[in-house]
Amino acid sequence: MSNAALVIQIDEAIGAHGLWKMRLRSAIRSHHCDITPRQASEDCHCKFGKWLLDPQFPSAHRDAVPHSVVRRVHAEFHREAGKVLQLALDGQEKTAIAALEGAFADTSEKLVRALMNWKGELLQPA
C-alpha cells in the first residue's frame, strides 16, 4: 500500500470520526441511536477500525509507532463514544453533555493529532 493510499484513509478517518460528535449530540437530544453503546465502544466496527485492524495491513506500517499510537487512541475514542452514548440512551442528558465535552472531546482531539502526525510522517520525503 502506498503512502498516498494511507494518507487518503487517514483523511477519511478524520472526517468520519469528526461526525461522531454530531451523532452523539443527536442521541443526547433524541435518546435514540442506530447503534448500541457496545457497538460504539468497539473500535473494530467502523470502516477505519476495520482497515486499521486488518491482518493484511502492510507490516512495514503496522509495526511502526504511528500505527500503534493511532490504534490505541482510536480504541480509546470508541470507548469514550460508547460511554457518552450509554448516558444519552439512559436519558442522562447533562451527564452525557459533560462527557461529550470533556473526556470524549479530549480523546477526539488526541485521535486527530495522532492521525495528523502519522499523515505528516507519510508525507515526508523518503
Side-chain angles (χ1 to χ4, degrees), residues 44-62:
C44 59
H45 294 295
C46 70
K47 179 181 174 186
F48 182 69
K50 290 175 184 176
W51 175 77
L52 196 61
L53 299 169
D54 186 339
Q56 301 300 315
F57 196 92
S59 62
H61 294 287
R62 185 182 59 239

Side-chain angles (χ1 to χ4, degrees), residues 8-27:
I8 289 169
Q9 290 293 327
I10 290 168
D11 284 341
E12 288 179 4
I14 291 169
H17 286 83
L19 295 175
W20 271 91
K21 188 171 186 176
M22 289 188 301
R23 186 182 207 180
L24 293 171
R25 282 203 186 281
S26 175

Side-chain angles (χ1 to χ4, degrees), residues 48-96:
F48 182 69
K50 290 175 184 176
W51 175 77
L52 196 61
L53 299 169
D54 186 339
Q56 301 300 315
F57 196 92
S59 62
H61 294 287
R62 185 182 59 239
D63 298 336
V65 172
H67 181 272
S68 64
V69 169
V70 166
R71 189 171 168 179
R72 178 182 50 78
V73 178
H74 181 248
E76 184 181 338
F77 171 92
H78 278 279
R79 282 191 301 274
E80 293 301 328
K83 290 175 188 176
V84 172
L85 184 56
Q86 185 65 63
L87 292 166
L89 297 181
D90 288 346
Q92 298 181 44
E93 291 181 31
K94 289 182 182 178
T95 307

